[in-house]
């Protein structure tokens, strides 16, 4: 057996129990991957789970812990920090792996590059095949078919080496939703890991707007403040938040959205955000060389 085939993959799916058909289709697409079996863990995030195939690890949480909190529970279904596997996939429960070679491509990518910590997949609409600009995790996103090194990743279409969790920690559960991927990405980069966007590893997912979530504008603003407070050197905090304030206003949000955003911004300063571990200045320079300095 080759080194790539020895590389163990586990997949975490969190569900609110409202997409049973999509969940079953996703599970099938994971279990049908070529090569060694991908271990599977399903978390009912404050919801009961449907019957699952034999061998699937699962837990039903009594309350919704949010996206990062639910995924953290899923990580630990593979042992502490996912130690039972070499990398953990995060998959949205209404997604689907349309290709049978995705697991093989991931195994090969991780074994070929020992410093590769995170892989972000390309998300494509199942009907149109289009990849939305916001689903390409870099500023220059005009060509979604171009793979590259990046500075963040897509939470519901990604794979993270388990050693990243050991060294950089898991997702920030207190974020509940929004920017939790960037928080982990910055900590992983600061620990010396790399992140790749891979256009050939595809997740089918319907095109939706993140603003469909009632708490979107509040959480986006609050969590940006938390992201800065937790991770940035002090001189960069006002630059980062000032840039995003201007960008938000330039997008001309509605009055209700501005009200929610302002409330979230205040909460970001008044509510605890977890431990502060500012990144090294060499990490700031690394992010800048990768095309996304941590002021935007």
């Amino acid at each position: 057996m080759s080194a790539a085939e020895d590389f163990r993959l586990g997949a975490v799916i969190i569900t609110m129990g409202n997409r049973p058909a999509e969940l079953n289709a996703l599970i099938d697409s994971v279990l049908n991957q070529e090569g060694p079996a991908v271990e599977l863990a399903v978390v009912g995030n404050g919801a009961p789970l449907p019957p699952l195939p034999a061998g699937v690890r699962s837990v039903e949480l009594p309350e919704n812990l949010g996206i990062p909190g639910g995924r953290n529970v899923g990580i630990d279904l593979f042992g502490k920090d996912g130690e039972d596997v070499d990398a953990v996939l995060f998959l949205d429960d209404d997604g689907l792996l349309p290709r049978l070679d995705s697991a093989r491509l991931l195994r090969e990518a991780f074994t070929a590059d020992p410093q590769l910590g995170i892989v972000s997949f390309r998300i494509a609409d199942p009907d149109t095949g289009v990849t939305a600009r916001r689903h390409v995790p870099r500023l220059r996103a005009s060509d979604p078919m171009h793979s590259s090194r990046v500075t963040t990743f897509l939470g519901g279409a990604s794979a993270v080496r388990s050693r990243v969790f050991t060294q950089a920690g898991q997702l920030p559960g207190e974020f509940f939703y929004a920017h939790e991927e960037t928080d982990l990405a910055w900590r992983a980069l600061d620990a010396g890991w790399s992140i790749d966007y891979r256009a050939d590893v595809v997740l089918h997912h319907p095109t939706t707007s993140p603003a469909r979530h009632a708490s979107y504008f509040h959480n986006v603003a609050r969590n940006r403040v938390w992201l800065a407070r937790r991770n940035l050197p002090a001189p960069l905090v006002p630059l980062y938040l000032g840039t995003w304030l201007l960008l938000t206003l330039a997008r001309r949000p509605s009055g209700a959205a501005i009200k929610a955003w302002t409330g979230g911004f205040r909460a970001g300063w008044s509510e605890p955000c977890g431990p502060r571990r500012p990144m090294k200045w060499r990490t700031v320079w690394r992010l800048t060389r990768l095309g996304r300095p941590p002021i935007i």
Side-chain angles (χ1 to χ4, degrees):
M1 185 176 287
S2 68
E5 290 175 319
D6 280 338
F7 195 88
R8 301 161 299 168
L9 295 178
V12 170
I13 304 169
I14 59 172
T15 182
M16 297 288 291
N18 54 352
R19 298 166 176 153
E22 292 90 341
L23 174 62
N24 286 332
L26 173 60
I27 289 173
D28 287 343
S29 75
V30 174
L31 297 180
N32 290 332
Q33 289 292 302
E34 298 170 352
V38 178
E39 296 288 329
L40 191 58
V42 181
V43 178
N45 211 359
L49 291 173
L52 299 170
V56 174
R57 310 180 195 205
S58 64
V59 64
E60 294 179 354
L61 301 178
E63 62 178 313
N64 181 0
L65 298 182
I67 293 174
R71 286 182 178 146
N72 287 342
V73 170
I75 293 168
D76 286 335
L77 286 177
F78 294 115
K80 180 175 172 54
D81 290 331
E83 63 185 0
D84 294 349
V85 294
D86 296 305
V88 175
L89 284 68
F90 296 127
L91 303 171
D92 278 351
D93 68 346
D94 55 347
L96 183 80
L97 294 173
R99 296 174 48 158
L100 298 180
D101 63 350
S102 296
R104 176 177 62 80
L105 292 172
L106 290 169
R107 289 188 180 99
E108 291 174 351
F110 281 118
T111 54
D113 183 356
Q115 292 307 117
L116 179 61
I118 303 173
V119 176
S120 189
F121 311 166
R122 180 168 64 89
I123 295 178
D125 185 275
D127 297 322
T128 66
V130 172
T131 296
R133 184 180 180 87
R134 67 182 181 84
H135 284 151
V136 183
R138 58 177 179 248
L139 291 180
R140 295 179 179 177
S142 59
D143 182 7
M145 302 305 293
H146 172 62
S147 300
S148 69
R149 282 275 154 95
V150 290
T151 62
T152 188
F153 65 101
L154 307 170
S158 60
V160 182
R161 196 186 291 263
S162 299
R163 286 172 54 205
V164 170
F165 303 128
T166 304
Q167 294 184 12
Q170 297 184 4
L171 294 155
E174 54 268 67
F175 280 40
F176 198 84
Y177 164 76
H179 305 317
E180 66 271 8
E181 303 95 344
T182 300
D183 188 89
L184 176 56
W186 283 359
R187 286 183 279 118
L189 289 164
D190 200 49
W193 296 101
S194 297
I195 306 171
D196 278 358
Y197 166 71
R198 287 285 298 259
D200 57 343
V201 183
V202 181
L203 182 85
H204 275 175
H205 189 281
T207 300
T208 55
S209 168
R212 70 190 186 279
H213 298 287
S215 59
Y216 172 75
F217 291 103
H218 177 277
N219 283 19
V220 161
R222 181 196 65 188
N223 293 359
R224 278 214 189 275
V225 177
W226 283 358
L227 190 63
R229 288 175 59 194
R230 287 164 58 96
N231 296 289
L232 290 182
L236 296 186
V237 172
L239 291 174
Y240 178 78
L241 296 177
T243 297
W244 279 105
L245 173 61
L246 293 175
L247 287 172
T248 299
L249 294 175
R251 291 168 179 167
R252 297 187 175 183
S254 68
I258 281 289
K259 182 177 180 180
W261 193 95
T262 302
F265 192 84
R266 292 197 196 99
W269 291 105
S270 62
E271 296 177 6
C273 63
R276 172 169 166 76
R277 298 188 180 97
M279 66 177 66
K280 307 174 190 73
W281 281 104
R282 69 185 181 194
T283 305
V284 173
W285 176 235
R286 185 181 181 194
L287 287 162
T288 302
R289 286 189 290 112
L290 286 169
R292 190 151 196 165
I295 58 171
I296 188 170

